[in-house]
Amino acid sequence: MLVFLRDQGVEAVERGWDAIGLFGVHRLAGAVRADACGAIILLYPRTVVAISANEFVTERAGVRQTHRDVPNRAESVPLWNFRSY
């Protein structure tokens, strides 16, 4: 996460990515619910090779994968607001 923020964080924000889109997790289940997770939560161990307004393209071992904005935004909170109950 820190490498991404250092190298591509400004670009992501300039393209419109926000806290939920980058750091979102499900408000009750955390990262267990991938449909509520932001792009950075799903990033490791991949490398971001392209960023657009609504997609990240990542790569690992020559395989590319596209991640789109959080499909379940209404159930997401930024990681730092997550509380396990």
Side-chain angles (χ1 to χ4, degrees):
M1 286 184 192
L2 294 175
V3 171
F4 170 81
L5 290 173
R6 181 193 68 210
D7 296 346
Q8 295 163 304
V10 171
E11 179 183 1
V13 171
E14 287 174 348
R15 294 186 188 270
W17 288 82
D18 62 6
I20 296 291
L22 293 172
F23 301 100
V25 294
H26 189 272
R27 63 185 176 87
L28 299 176
V32 173
R33 290 277 308 270
D35 66 322
C37 284
I40 290 181
I41 303 300
L42 302 172
L43 180 62
Y44 185 79
R46 299 171 188 90
T47 302
V48 175
V49 294
I51 302 171
S52 72
N54 58 2
E55 294 180 342
F56 272 46
V57 178
T58 61
E59 184 174 60
R60 179 178 182 213
V63 176
R64 289 193 173 200
Q65 188 173 14
T66 300
H67 303 275
R68 291 178 177 79
D69 196 11
V70 179
N72 195 8
R73 275 184 163 266
E75 294 296 318
S76 297
V77 296
L79 178 62
W80 51 87
N81 289 342
F82 173 71
R83 294 183 61 177
S84 179
Y85 295 95

